[in-house]
Amino acid sequence: MQIFDAMKRLAHEFGFRYVTLFEAGSPDEVLMARMIVETTLPQAYIQEFDRKRLLKLCPVAPIISRSVLPCCWSLNDSDNVRGFSIPAVMEELQRRFELLTSVAMGLNSIDGDRFLVRFDGVRPRLSQGELNEIGMIVLHAFDVFDKIRRSAKVAASGPLSTRELEVVRWTAQGKTSAEIARILSLSDHTINAYMTNAIKKLDCVNRTQLVAKSLRLRLIS
């Protein structure tokens, strides 16, 4: 995934060792591994984290769920500075794998799905300027990732009805709504309704973009 490669470079530029993209699961989820989309975390860390069922003990999750701003903390901070305490078993595991300083940021997809990007490593806490910068870059990268992800979902699910595909195919051949209406023995209003639905389903803004995206996704040929 090219976007995640960019995230890895971002982690390196900011002095972090690891980066992870999570997709928020069910509130009852107990395994971190099932939430991971991509990560550079050691597999041994993930396995031990899940074996000890530490996800339910994570004090950061409630904070991230309430905010879209990046949150930074360090194991070397006091509880008062961090604003939360870290269970001893979790702190021991993170210190052993050198996940001393972390940044996490919640992200919302256009279709309502919730994601989380987290950076971990050994470096001082980020300054507010660094936090703002990494937050802006992550938002941009996630926007690109989300568009690719939604396009893939569309291609996999085949969202357009048979009639909508007919309308898009005729549009791709340069036919107007009136001409398509005559070909399909339907009203102009009905053709425009099919077109509007197709535009919404494929997250487009006009007919030109609809045709281009339908071709790219191989919905029409």
Side-chain angles (χ1 to χ4, degrees):
M1 185 190 297
Q2 290 183 339
I3 296 301
F4 194 70
D5 288 340
M7 287 286 194
K8 289 191 285 188
R9 290 194 295 272
L10 179 63
H12 176 76
E13 290 296 324
F14 278 85
F16 288 106
R17 187 168 300 173
Y18 308 113
V19 58
T20 306
L21 174 62
F22 299 95
E23 183 170 10
S26 161
D28 299 324
E29 181 61 79
V30 296
L31 297 178
M32 177 173 66
R34 290 200 291 236
M35 298 172 59
I36 293 173
V37 178
E38 293 279 355
T39 189
T40 58
L41 285 169
Q43 189 62 32
Y45 170 81
I46 298 170
Q47 290 173 345
E48 187 168 347
F49 187 97
D50 283 347
R51 187 171 62 252
K52 293 180 177 179
R53 294 296 193 267
L54 296 182
L55 187 60
K56 286 295 185 180
L57 300 180
C58 182
V60 181
I63 298 172
I64 300 301
S65 68
R66 296 192 299 266
S67 174
V68 294
L69 299 176
C71 174
C72 182
W73 69 95
S74 172
L75 296 183
N76 295 325
D77 293 337
S78 66
D79 290 355
N80 289 336
V81 172
R82 280 196 304 263
F84 55 85
S85 59
I86 298 174
V89 62
M90 183 178 292
E91 179 171 348
E92 187 280 327
L93 179 62
Q94 291 191 207
R95 286 190 180 279
R96 185 158 27 102
F97 282 89
E98 297 187 319
L99 281 68
L100 303 185
T101 299
S102 305
V103 171
M105 183 174 178
L107 299 156
N108 294 315
S109 168
I110 289 177
D111 58 12
D113 291 335
R114 179 76 172 172
F115 291 81
L116 170 71
V117 170
R118 176 165 166 164
F119 301 89
D120 297 280
V122 181
R123 60 146 291 163
R125 280 173 58 98
L126 272 69
S127 67
Q128 189 58 52
E130 289 176 312
L131 209 53
N132 293 341
E133 184 179 0
I134 200 171
M136 290 176 61
I137 298 172
V138 166
L139 279 175
H140 175 72
F142 179 75
D143 183 55
V144 176
F145 161 79
D146 194 36
K147 287 178 180 177
I148 295 171
R149 183 186 70 91
R150 286 184 287 112
S151 292
K153 284 175 65 176
V154 165
S157 61
L160 301 188
S161 68
T162 300
R163 190 63 93 178
E164 288 163 351
L165 284 171
E166 282 185 295
V167 171
V168 176
R169 285 192 189 99
W170 284 115
T171 302
Q173 295 180 33
K175 302 296 185 182
T176 65
S177 291
E179 290 171 330
I180 298 171
R182 287 195 295 271
I183 292 169
L184 299 180
S185 299
L186 297 170
S187 68
D188 290 8
H189 175 76
T190 300
I191 296 300
N192 287 329
Y194 282 131
M195 185 67 66
T196 299
N197 287 340
I199 287 172
K200 288 180 179 178
K201 286 181 178 181
L202 293 191
D203 193 26
C204 297
V205 296
N206 54 40
R207 295 185 180 203
T208 301
Q209 187 181 11
L210 172 66
V211 169
K213 192 166 188 177
S214 297
L215 289 167
R216 188 172 71 251
L217 297 176
R218 298 184 180 179
L219 299 179
I220 62 173
S221 58

